[in-house]
Amino acid sequence: MKDQRITLNCKGQLLVLDQPKVMGILNVTPDSFFDGGKWNSEDAILKHTEHMLSEGASFIDVGGLSTRPGSEEIGIQEESDRVCKAISKIKKAFPETLISIDTYRAEVAKNAVQEGASIINDVSGGNMDPEMFTTVAALNTPYILMHMQGTPKTMQDNPHYEDVSKDVLDFFIKKIEALRALGVKDIVLDPGFGFGKTLEQGYTLLNQMHVFQILELPILAGISRKSMICKALKVNPENALNGTTALHMVALQQGAKILRVHDVKEAVEVIKLYEMLEANP
């Protein structure tokens, strides 16, 4: 879509999205659904970050609180300590790295940006912390606006929509208006696959993701190794890479500008093949 906004101003570093980019996931948590506990030491954090950057990640998404279905909350201080320690180490070792902070808590987001994060990725779309939108505006960072029905603990209990794509679109329109009123300039849209959606709703949303292009904002697809793949293929997350790759191509064809992934190399390859298809209609 020619009018779609294709740049994000990340605290002075410009991220250009004229071609799709890869966001590498770094969970510094003991209980994330796929890689919980893998990247908790300083050495592991730096090695994994270097690995993802070398494979072509444009930025690293650091999270310190699991949002898998049914997950329990931890204290703000504990979450903040986890992510700030990781961000500080990454910025010291790889100072040019763009980092997004994966949190729904304004205080954690603020602390993370002070340590060097330059994008805020909020799975709750501002619904779980009333201070989040004003904090984003004050910090002047890009904001990834994700749709979630309910909370991580309850979101998969019985998700219901009149029309899942229309309902998510309506949510985006309302939230974008509130963000714009506060002066937030750079917004990325994330439909929230697996966050308060049934298996069937997830596939409907993916099939209709192009409708969000009407909002003329970049779209992020977070599909990597999620339950919408595992349930359909009857595999566990460890064996969901092939399914992830297949759906990444669909997401790109539906207009995704960012793929949030556990496996950077494979996602970069999908983007290269997608670009070959686009260049040779």
Side-chain angles (χ1 to χ4, degrees):
M1 193 168 181
K2 72 176 184 180
D3 293 325
Q4 188 177 5
R5 190 176 184 89
I6 59 168
T7 60
L8 299 176
N9 186 351
C10 306
K11 305 296 285 184
Q13 284 180 268
L14 205 62
L15 182 66
V16 182
L17 297 174
D18 53 345
Q19 297 172 316
K21 297 290 191 289
V22 173
M23 170 190 277
I25 299 169
L26 180 65
N27 287 319
V28 289
T29 58
D31 56 346
S32 290
F33 78 94
F34 171 60
D35 55 359
K38 286 186 179 180
W39 322 119
N40 287 350
S41 73
E42 178 182 337
D43 186 54
I45 287 167
L46 293 179
K47 281 186 176 178
H48 190 50
T49 298
E50 184 176 31
H51 179 68
M52 290 192 289
L53 293 172
S54 70
E55 289 189 335
S58 294
F59 45 126
I60 305 297
D61 191 44
V62 177
L65 171 65
S66 176
T67 51
R68 60 183 170 78
S71 60
E72 297 287 343
E73 286 192 12
I74 60 170
I76 289 177
Q77 191 61 52
E78 184 177 358
E79 181 190 358
S80 189
D81 288 346
R82 286 178 182 175
V83 297
C84 287
K85 179 182 176 183
I87 292 167
S88 174
K89 298 299 183 186
I90 292 167
K91 292 300 285 187
K92 186 175 181 180
F94 313 105
E96 298 303 309
T97 303
L98 288 175
I99 297 175
S100 60
I101 173 61
D102 178 4
T103 186
Y104 54 75
R105 292 163 161 171
E107 185 177 334
V108 176
K110 182 179 178 181
N111 294 339
V113 170
Q114 288 175 343
E115 288 293 341
S118 54
I119 303 167
I120 296 170
N121 179 15
D122 175 11
V123 299
S124 81
N127 281 346
M128 293 183 69
D129 188 336
E131 301 297 320
M132 181 59 89
F133 281 13
T134 54
T135 298
V136 172
L139 293 171
N140 194 28
T141 64
Y143 178 68
I144 300 173
L145 170 66
M146 198 191 86
H147 175 274
M148 173 171 61
Q149 190 176 92
T151 68
K153 190 171 182 178
T154 65
M155 63 189 179
Q156 291 304 105
D157 288 354
N158 186 29
H160 174 75
Y161 301 87
E162 294 299 319
D163 178 322
V164 65
S165 299
K166 182 180 181 299
D167 289 357
V168 173
L169 180 63
D170 289 345
F171 169 87
F172 282 151
I173 290 170
K174 178 182 175 184
K175 295 292 187 175
I176 291 166
E177 183 179 5
L179 287 162
R180 293 290 192 224
L182 291 167
V184 178
K185 297 180 180 67
D186 291 348
I187 303 168
V188 177
L189 306 176
D190 179 352
F193 294 103
F195 285 80
K197 284 93 179 172
T198 65
L199 179 66
E200 293 76 16
Q201 289 161 355
Y203 281 91
T204 297
L205 201 56
L206 182 57
N207 265 322
Q208 298 177 1
M209 200 170 69
H210 62 275
V211 304
F212 304 125
Q213 289 183 319
I214 195 172
L215 300 174
E216 298 184 359
L217 293 170
I219 300 167
L220 179 150
I223 299 170
S224 183
R225 297 182 182 265
K226 283 189 174 176
S227 62
M228 66 185 290
I229 298 162
C230 297
K231 289 178 180 177
L233 299 179
K234 295 180 172 56
V235 298
N236 58 23
E238 287 71 23
N239 293 303
L241 177 55
N242 187 50
T244 296
T245 299
L247 294 191
H248 276 160
M249 179 61 83
V250 178
L252 293 168
Q253 292 173 328
Q254 286 287 321
K257 287 294 185 183
I258 300 171
L259 299 178
R260 181 180 182 273
V261 309
H262 298 92
D263 309 278
V264 173
K265 175 178 175 286
E266 290 80 1
V268 169
E269 289 177 350
V270 173
I271 289 171
K272 287 179 180 176
L273 295 177
Y274 163 75
E275 289 177 337
M276 286 296 293
L277 284 169
E278 289 291 293
N280 297 281

